[in-house]
Short mmCIF file of all heavy atoms in Angstrom, two decimals:
data_model
loop_
_atom_site.label_atom_id
_atom_site.label_comp_id
_atom_site.label_asym_id
_atom_site.label_seq_id
_atom_site.Cartn_x
_atom_site.Cartn_y
_atom_site.Cartn_z
N VAL A 1 0.85 -1.19 0.00
CA VAL A 1 0.00 0.01 -0.01
C VAL A 1 0.89 1.22 0.01
O VAL A 1 1.79 1.38 0.86
CB VAL A 1 -0.91 0.02 1.23
CG1 VAL A 1 -1.79 1.25 1.24
CG2 VAL A 1 -1.75 -1.28 1.28
N PRO A 2 0.70 2.20 -0.95
CA PRO A 2 1.57 3.38 -1.01
C PRO A 2 1.49 4.19 0.27
O PRO A 2 0.45 4.30 0.89
CB PRO A 2 0.98 4.17 -2.19
CG PRO A 2 0.22 3.16 -3.01
CD PRO A 2 -0.29 2.16 -2.01
N SER A 3 2.61 4.74 0.69
CA SER A 3 2.67 5.58 1.89
C SER A 3 2.38 7.04 1.52
O SER A 3 2.15 7.36 0.37
CB SER A 3 4.03 5.48 2.54
OG SER A 3 5.02 6.14 1.76
N GLY A 4 2.44 7.91 2.54
CA GLY A 4 2.15 9.32 2.29
C GLY A 4 3.33 10.11 1.84
O GLY A 4 3.26 11.33 1.76
N VAL A 5 4.46 9.49 1.52
CA VAL A 5 5.67 10.21 1.13
C VAL A 5 5.45 11.00 -0.15
O VAL A 5 5.98 12.05 -0.33
CB VAL A 5 6.87 9.22 0.97
CG1 VAL A 5 8.08 9.96 0.48
CG2 VAL A 5 7.11 8.54 2.31
N GLY A 6 4.60 10.52 -1.02
CA GLY A 6 4.32 11.22 -2.27
C GLY A 6 3.66 12.55 -2.12
O GLY A 6 3.58 13.34 -3.06
N GLN A 7 3.22 12.87 -0.89
CA GLN A 7 2.56 14.18 -0.64
C GLN A 7 3.58 15.30 -0.49
O GLN A 7 3.22 16.44 -0.46
CB GLN A 7 1.71 14.08 0.62
CG GLN A 7 0.62 13.04 0.57
CD GLN A 7 -0.03 12.89 1.94
OE1 GLN A 7 0.29 13.58 2.88
NE2 GLN A 7 -0.96 11.94 2.02
N LEU A 8 4.85 14.95 -0.39
CA LEU A 8 5.87 15.95 -0.10
C LEU A 8 5.88 17.07 -1.12
O LEU A 8 5.83 18.24 -0.78
CB LEU A 8 7.26 15.31 -0.07
CG LEU A 8 7.73 14.71 1.25
CD1 LEU A 8 8.97 13.87 1.07
CD2 LEU A 8 7.98 15.81 2.26
N ALA A 9 5.93 16.74 -2.41
CA ALA A 9 6.07 17.75 -3.42
C ALA A 9 4.87 18.71 -3.45
O ALA A 9 4.99 19.91 -3.51
CB ALA A 9 6.25 17.12 -4.79
N SER A 10 3.68 18.14 -3.40
CA SER A 10 2.47 18.99 -3.44
C SER A 10 2.44 19.86 -2.22
O SER A 10 1.95 20.99 -2.27
CB SER A 10 1.21 18.11 -3.54
OG SER A 10 1.09 17.28 -2.42
N PHE A 11 2.92 19.38 -1.06
CA PHE A 11 2.94 20.23 0.13
C PHE A 11 3.89 21.38 -0.04
O PHE A 11 3.63 22.48 0.42
CB PHE A 11 3.33 19.40 1.33
CG PHE A 11 3.36 20.20 2.62
CD1 PHE A 11 2.21 20.31 3.35
CD2 PHE A 11 4.50 20.86 3.05
CE1 PHE A 11 2.19 21.07 4.54
CE2 PHE A 11 4.48 21.60 4.21
CZ PHE A 11 3.33 21.72 4.96
N GLY A 12 4.99 21.18 -0.78
CA GLY A 12 5.98 22.26 -0.96
C GLY A 12 5.35 23.43 -1.64
O GLY A 12 5.50 24.61 -1.24
N ALA A 13 4.55 23.22 -2.72
CA ALA A 13 3.88 24.32 -3.41
C ALA A 13 2.77 24.88 -2.58
O ALA A 13 2.59 26.10 -2.50
CB ALA A 13 3.36 23.80 -4.76
N GLN A 14 2.01 24.01 -1.94
CA GLN A 14 0.87 24.45 -1.13
C GLN A 14 1.36 25.34 0.03
O GLN A 14 0.76 26.36 0.33
CB GLN A 14 0.13 23.21 -0.60
CG GLN A 14 -1.06 23.56 0.29
CD GLN A 14 -1.69 22.29 0.88
OE1 GLN A 14 -1.14 21.21 0.75
NE2 GLN A 14 -2.80 22.48 1.55
N ALA A 15 2.45 24.91 0.66
CA ALA A 15 2.94 25.64 1.81
C ALA A 15 3.42 27.04 1.43
O ALA A 15 3.31 27.97 2.25
CB ALA A 15 4.09 24.87 2.45
N ALA A 16 3.92 27.18 0.23
CA ALA A 16 4.40 28.52 -0.22
C ALA A 16 3.25 29.51 -0.28
O ALA A 16 3.46 30.71 -0.19
CB ALA A 16 5.05 28.40 -1.58
N LEU A 17 2.01 29.02 -0.45
CA LEU A 17 0.85 29.91 -0.61
C LEU A 17 -0.03 29.95 0.62
O LEU A 17 -1.10 30.50 0.60
CB LEU A 17 0.05 29.47 -1.84
CG LEU A 17 0.81 29.48 -3.14
CD1 LEU A 17 -0.09 28.95 -4.25
CD2 LEU A 17 1.32 30.84 -3.48
N GLN A 18 0.42 29.35 1.71
CA GLN A 18 -0.31 29.36 2.96
C GLN A 18 0.43 30.24 3.96
O GLN A 18 1.63 30.47 3.88
CB GLN A 18 -0.47 27.96 3.52
CG GLN A 18 -1.39 27.08 2.69
CD GLN A 18 -1.54 25.69 3.28
OE1 GLN A 18 -0.70 25.26 4.07
NE2 GLN A 18 -2.60 25.01 2.90
N SER A 19 -0.31 30.75 4.93
CA SER A 19 0.27 31.65 5.90
C SER A 19 1.21 30.92 6.86
O SER A 19 0.96 29.77 7.25
CB SER A 19 -0.81 32.37 6.68
OG SER A 19 -1.60 31.42 7.39
N TYR A 20 2.31 31.60 7.21
CA TYR A 20 3.21 31.08 8.20
C TYR A 20 2.70 31.42 9.60
O TYR A 20 1.83 32.29 9.75
CB TYR A 20 4.60 31.71 8.03
CG TYR A 20 5.33 31.26 6.78
CD1 TYR A 20 5.31 32.06 5.62
CD2 TYR A 20 6.04 30.06 6.73
CE1 TYR A 20 5.98 31.69 4.50
CE2 TYR A 20 6.71 29.68 5.60
CZ TYR A 20 6.69 30.45 4.47
OH TYR A 20 7.33 30.07 3.33
N SER A 21 3.23 30.75 10.61
CA SER A 21 2.90 31.09 11.97
C SER A 21 3.52 32.44 12.34
O SER A 21 4.45 32.93 11.68
CB SER A 21 3.39 30.05 12.94
OG SER A 21 4.80 30.05 13.01
N ARG A 22 3.01 33.07 13.39
CA ARG A 22 3.58 34.33 13.83
C ARG A 22 5.05 34.17 14.22
O ARG A 22 5.88 35.05 13.96
CB ARG A 22 2.78 34.87 15.01
CG ARG A 22 1.37 35.30 14.65
CD ARG A 22 0.64 35.87 15.85
NE ARG A 22 -0.70 36.33 15.48
CZ ARG A 22 -1.54 36.95 16.30
NH1 ARG A 22 -1.16 37.14 17.57
NH2 ARG A 22 -2.72 37.31 15.89
N GLU A 23 5.37 33.05 14.85
CA GLU A 23 6.73 32.81 15.26
C GLU A 23 7.66 32.68 14.04
O GLU A 23 8.79 33.22 14.02
CB GLU A 23 6.82 31.55 16.11
CG GLU A 23 6.15 31.64 17.50
CD GLU A 23 4.64 31.60 17.41
OE1 GLU A 23 4.11 31.17 16.36
OE2 GLU A 23 3.99 32.01 18.36
N GLN A 24 7.19 32.00 13.01
CA GLN A 24 8.01 31.85 11.79
C GLN A 24 8.18 33.16 11.07
O GLN A 24 9.22 33.47 10.54
CB GLN A 24 7.38 30.80 10.88
CG GLN A 24 7.51 29.38 11.40
CD GLN A 24 6.76 28.37 10.55
OE1 GLN A 24 5.71 28.70 9.97
NE2 GLN A 24 7.26 27.16 10.47
N GLU A 25 7.12 33.98 11.08
CA GLU A 25 7.21 35.31 10.44
C GLU A 25 8.19 36.19 11.19
O GLU A 25 9.03 36.91 10.59
CB GLU A 25 5.84 35.98 10.40
CG GLU A 25 4.93 35.46 9.32
CD GLU A 25 5.52 35.67 7.94
OE1 GLU A 25 5.77 36.85 7.59
OE2 GLU A 25 5.71 34.71 7.20
N LEU A 26 8.14 36.15 12.50
CA LEU A 26 9.11 36.92 13.30
C LEU A 26 10.50 36.46 13.03
O LEU A 26 11.43 37.27 12.90
CB LEU A 26 8.76 36.82 14.80
CG LEU A 26 9.72 37.57 15.75
CD1 LEU A 26 9.74 39.05 15.43
CD2 LEU A 26 9.28 37.31 17.21
N GLU A 27 10.71 35.16 12.97
CA GLU A 27 12.04 34.61 12.71
C GLU A 27 12.51 35.02 11.34
O GLU A 27 13.70 35.39 11.17
CB GLU A 27 12.02 33.09 12.82
CG GLU A 27 13.37 32.47 12.80
CD GLU A 27 13.35 30.99 13.21
OE1 GLU A 27 12.79 30.19 12.44
OE2 GLU A 27 13.87 30.69 14.29
N ALA A 28 11.64 34.95 10.31
CA ALA A 28 12.04 35.36 8.97
C ALA A 28 12.34 36.85 8.93
O ALA A 28 13.26 37.28 8.19
CB ALA A 28 10.93 35.02 7.95
N ASP A 29 11.61 37.65 9.68
CA ASP A 29 11.90 39.08 9.75
C ASP A 29 13.25 39.35 10.41
O ASP A 29 14.05 40.17 9.95
CB ASP A 29 10.83 39.82 10.50
CG ASP A 29 9.63 40.18 9.64
OD1 ASP A 29 9.82 40.33 8.40
OD2 ASP A 29 8.49 40.27 10.13
N ARG A 30 13.52 38.61 11.49
CA ARG A 30 14.81 38.77 12.15
C ARG A 30 15.94 38.45 11.20
O ARG A 30 16.95 39.19 11.11
CB ARG A 30 14.89 37.85 13.39
CG ARG A 30 14.09 38.31 14.57
CD ARG A 30 14.27 37.33 15.73
NE ARG A 30 15.69 37.25 16.17
CZ ARG A 30 16.15 36.40 17.09
NH1 ARG A 30 15.31 35.56 17.69
NH2 ARG A 30 17.41 36.40 17.41
N LEU A 31 15.83 37.33 10.51
CA LEU A 31 16.88 36.95 9.57
C LEU A 31 16.97 37.93 8.39
O LEU A 31 18.05 38.28 7.95
CB LEU A 31 16.63 35.53 9.05
CG LEU A 31 16.68 34.42 10.09
CD1 LEU A 31 16.24 33.07 9.53
CD2 LEU A 31 18.11 34.30 10.64
#
């Protein structure tokens, strides 16, 4: 039975268009 590993690529594009957490935004701003 196929595992969920194949979801990785689609998550990469999806994640780029979804909001980050406040902590991640603060960290990205700091950097």
Side-chain angles (χ1 to χ4, degrees):
V1 180
S3 71
V5 177
Q7 300 171 4
L8 272 169
S10 62
F11 181 87
Q14 179 185 7
L17 301 177
Q18 291 181 339
S19 61
Y20 291 98
S21 69
R22 292 182 178 184
E23 292 75 17
Q24 289 173 328
E25 283 298 302
L26 178 60
E27 189 168 70
D29 276 333
R30 286 182 60 185
L31 295 173

